[in-house]
Amino acid sequence: MSTFIQLHLLTSYPPANLNRDDLGRPKTAFMGGAERLRVSSQSLKRHWRTSDLFQEALAGNLGIRTKRLGLEVMQRLLDGGVAEGKAKDWAGKIADVFGKLEKDSVELSQLAHISPEERQAVDTLTDALIEEKRAPKDEELNLLRKNPSAADIGLFGRMLADDPAFNVEAACQVAHAITVHPVVIEDDYFTAVDDLNSGDEDRGAAHIGETGFAAGLFYSYVCINRDQLIDNLRGDAELADKAIAALSEAAIKVSPTGKQNSFGSRAYASYVMAEKGTQQPRSLSVAFLKPVQGQDQAAEAIAGLEEQARRFDQVYGDCADKRYSLNAHAGEGSFQELMAFLKND
C-alpha cells in the first residue's frame, strides 16, 4: 500500500489581497453558511514551486513551465547564423514535440512542463543543427522522456494531450486554503501624491484608487503519495524525500506574493499537524464547517483541528500511523523535529 504524508496548516495573514479574482477582489468561498477568504491551490503551488527556498533545495532537478520554448530555440538558431526561414521551420519542429503551436508561430498554444533532461536534449539538438547547418531528423525529435527526474513534475504531474504516454500522474494534492471564520472584504481607498507638486495651485492627489482586502486565519491541506512520487522519479527515493521536505518547508514558510508590496502580509504557519501512514487520506476541513467565532481564533482553531482528528480516529480507527504537531501559537514543537519526522523511517 502507498504511504501518504498529510499536512494540516493554520496560517494567519494580516490585511492583504493575496489572490485576486477577475475583478481584482480577494477570492472567496461559501462554506458552513458563511463567506470565507480563499487562496487557490494554483496560486499556492505556483508560489511554493518558484520560491527561492524550493528552487535552491532542488536545484538541477526542476523542470520549467513555458510556452516560449520554440521562440528560444529559434533565437539560438538565428544567433548561430541560420537563415530566418529555416530557423523558424526547425524551431517549430522541435517545439511541436511538446504541444500544438500557435498559428503561424513557433510559440506553444499551451504551457508545457519540460524536464531538465528534455531541455538538455533540445539544447544538444539545437547545437547540432547550428554546427551542421541542417534540419532535424525525425529520430532526433524523440525528445520526450518518461518519468523525468524533475521533482516538480513528479509532485504536480503534467499532461501532454498529444502524447499521453509521457503524462505524469501528480503525487501531490493541494486544497484551496480557506479561512476558518467568516470574513468581510473591505476596500482600501488610497491616493498618491506628486512630490513635485508644491500645492500652490492644485492640492489634489496625482492618483486615486481602491483595492479590496481582508484578514484571516487559513486552513490549508496538502497530501503527498510518497510511493507515487518515487515511481514518478524512476525509483529515486532520496530525491523524493528531498522534494517532500522542500515542498513542506515552502508550504509552511512561503506566502503568496499578491499585493505584498502594498500590504507586506507575510507569515509562517502558526500550527502544523503532519501525518504519515498507509491509511486513506482525509482533509480536516470539516472541523471548520461551523465558523470559528471567538476572540482567540488561533487557539480555538487548533483545538478544533485536533479534536476533529481525534473523532475521525474514534469512528474509523487510527487514520495515521504517526503524527507530529508544531504549535508556534503556544511555542510547542520545533521545525527541525518536524522536518526529521517527514523523513522516511
Side-chain angles (χ1 to χ4, degrees):
M1 297 181 66
S2 295
T3 297
F4 295 95
I5 294 172
Q6 300 179 82
L7 298 176
H8 309 271
L9 305 99
L10 292 170
T11 307
S12 178
Y13 288 105
N17 188 348
L18 299 173
N19 189 201
R20 304 186 293 278
D21 63 17
D22 57 333
L23 299 178
R25 306 283 288 174
K27 289 186 176 180
T28 60
F30 200 79
M31 176 178 169
E35 186 174 46
R36 320 290 183 98
L37 272 186
R38 174 174 63 93
V39 177
S40 72
S41 59
Q42 295 93 330
S43 173
L44 293 171
K45 287 186 287 188
R46 163 71 180 174
H47 289 102
W48 298 342
R49 181 176 63 84
T50 59
S51 67
D52 290 342
L53 186 158
F54 193 82
Q55 293 286 316
E56 291 171 8
L58 296 167
N61 294 107
L62 292 171
I64 182 170
R65 293 182 69 193
T66 184
K67 298 169 63 176
R68 302 178 60 83
L69 177 67
L71 297 172
E72 289 195 0
V73 171
M74 182 175 173
Q75 188 60 54
R76 285 189 60 192
L77 291 170
L78 291 171
D79 293 343
V82 178
E84 183 175 355
K86 290 181 178 179
K88 183 176 181 181
D89 178 55
W90 301 352
K93 289 180 179 179
I94 292 173
D96 186 63
V97 173
F98 297 91
K100 285 183 167 51
L101 303 180
E102 295 283 4
K103 185 178 180 181
D104 299 324
S105 174
V106 297
E107 185 175 8
L108 292 167
S109 59
Q110 293 182 326
L111 286 168
H113 210 155
I114 303 166
S115 73
E117 305 100 304
E118 292 162 344
R119 185 60 185 266
Q120 181 60 52
V122 169
D123 291 343
T124 299
L125 176 56
T126 303
D127 290 340
L129 302 185
I130 292 172
E131 182 178 352
E132 300 172 19
K133 304 298 183 184
R134 62 171 178 81
K137 301 174 184 177
D138 289 345
E139 61 270 19
E140 291 177 313
L141 294 173
N142 296 321
L143 300 169
L144 291 170
R145 301 291 185 266
K146 289 186 177 181
N147 299 107
S149 60
D152 49 349
I153 294 177
L155 283 167
F156 304 124
R158 75 172 178 185
M159 186 186 75
L160 297 168
D162 293 334
D163 290 285
F166 298 95
N167 288 350
V168 178
E169 183 71 23
C172 175
Q173 297 88 46
V174 179
H176 292 232
I178 59 168
T179 54
V180 304
H181 52 78
V183 296
V184 175
I185 296 177
E186 302 179 67
D187 289 301
D188 178 28
Y189 172 84
F190 62 90
T191 63
V193 178
D194 189 330
D195 291 342
L196 297 182
N197 182 358
S198 64
D200 294 336
E201 297 181 3
D202 180 10
R203 294 182 179 273
H207 174 74
I208 295 174
E210 63 178 38
T211 186
F213 72 94
L217 175 63
F218 288 82
Y219 168 69
S220 305
Y221 173 68
V222 179
C223 177
I224 304 169
N225 183 331
R226 181 175 181 272
D227 295 88
Q228 177 72 55
L229 181 57
I230 293 173
D231 287 344
N232 287 352
L233 298 175
R234 293 184 291 188
D236 193 337
E238 182 179 356
L239 178 57
D241 287 335
K242 282 179 62 178
I244 290 169
L247 178 64
S248 299
E249 184 170 359
I252 293 167
K253 293 182 176 180
V254 174
S255 304
T257 59
K259 291 282 187 175
Q260 285 289 9
N261 289 346
S262 298
F263 293 98
S265 185
R266 296 190 178 273
Y268 283 10
S270 296
Y271 177 86
V272 182
M273 178 193 293
E275 301 180 305
K276 293 195 298 188
T278 58
Q279 296 86 339
Q280 179 67 24
R282 82 283 176 266
S283 166
L284 295 174
S285 60
V286 68
F288 309 112
L289 195 58
K290 180 180 179 180
V292 174
Q293 299 280 6
Q295 295 298 310
D296 192 354
Q297 292 183 338
E300 290 185 33
I302 292 168
L305 200 65
E306 293 179 339
E307 176 62 17
Q308 187 59 60
R310 186 192 67 78
R311 290 179 180 178
F312 272 131
D313 286 351
Q314 181 179 348
V315 172
Y316 292 105
D318 290 344
C319 294
D321 295 332
K322 296 180 180 180
R323 287 194 182 96
Y324 181 86
S325 295
L326 177 157
N327 187 341
H329 185 67
E332 298 170 352
S334 76
F335 180 73
Q336 290 74 19
E337 290 178 358
L338 174 62
M339 289 294 102
F341 172 82
L342 292 174
K343 291 182 179 178
N344 188 44
D345 296 332

